Amino acid sequence: MNFCSQCGEKVRFAIPEGDDRPRYLCDACGTIHYQNPRIVAGTLPVSGTKVLLCKRAISPRKGYWTLPAGYMENAETTQQAAMRETREEAHAEVMLGDLYTLIDLPHINQVYMIFRAELTGGFSAGVESLEVALFDEHEIPWDALAFSTIERTLRHFYNDRPQDHFPLRTSTITPEDRERYFGSA
């Protein structure tokens, strides 16, 4: 950031008085520009024994499989964001269940929030998906998953499914965890 979005003057990067980390500061109008993590909301859509996955039509990880998920928009709840992303990426309607995985990625300033969901109708590829398909556990393209967050969510699901008990799973993805997907982070 070079200029203040409030007044257009040049900003500086420093620790504001009473704070503990550097921020972009505008000395002209006094605005402190906070930059906070982005929330990625999505679903784990299930139909019977199968999970719905989308093959990405966009970067990053174009051509790799993911759960329908994306950045939350202003003025929507995490549940609304998860359902919107599912409609956009998979043209699918779901009955939303509980929050299932909450995964922090502090090194890229993201938080993933994936809700369990029951697929309630048909599906087809949205503009951000090359294709959409249902997979049984043995059919999951484990080596072609787009993100470590998706692999972690699916592994939790398949570990929890035999007991039919799906507690909230919280974890952190480290830069080392991401190396499998992106190379050196």
Side-chain angles (χ1 to χ4, degrees), residues 56-115:
R56 292 178 59 82
I58 59 172
S59 292
R61 309 292 287 166
K62 182 178 180 180
Y64 287 83
W65 292 92
T66 188
L67 292 168
Y71 292 123
M72 186 174 173
E73 297 288 350
N74 289 335
E76 69 182 354
T77 66
T78 53
Q79 293 91 342
Q80 290 168 334
M83 292 179 72
R84 176 185 50 76
E85 287 292 339
T86 303
R87 282 191 302 276
E88 288 177 3
E89 295 182 9
H91 291 159
E93 294 297 325
V94 294
M95 184 170 55
L96 202 61
D98 292 333
L99 179 61
Y100 183 51
T101 55
L102 176 67
I103 304 172
D104 295 311
L105 294 95
H107 57 285
I108 59 169
N109 305 317
Q110 291 181 357
V111 177
Y112 267 71
M113 299 178 73
I114 304 294
F115 293 84

Side-chain angles (χ1 to χ4, degrees), residues 40-70:
V40 176
T43 63
L44 171 65
V46 176
S47 179
T49 63
K50 297 180 182 251
V51 170
L52 185 71
L53 295 177
C54 304
K55 186 181 266 190
R56 292 178 59 82
I58 59 172
S59 292
R61 309 292 287 166
K62 182 178 180 180
Y64 287 83
W65 292 92
T66 188
L67 292 168

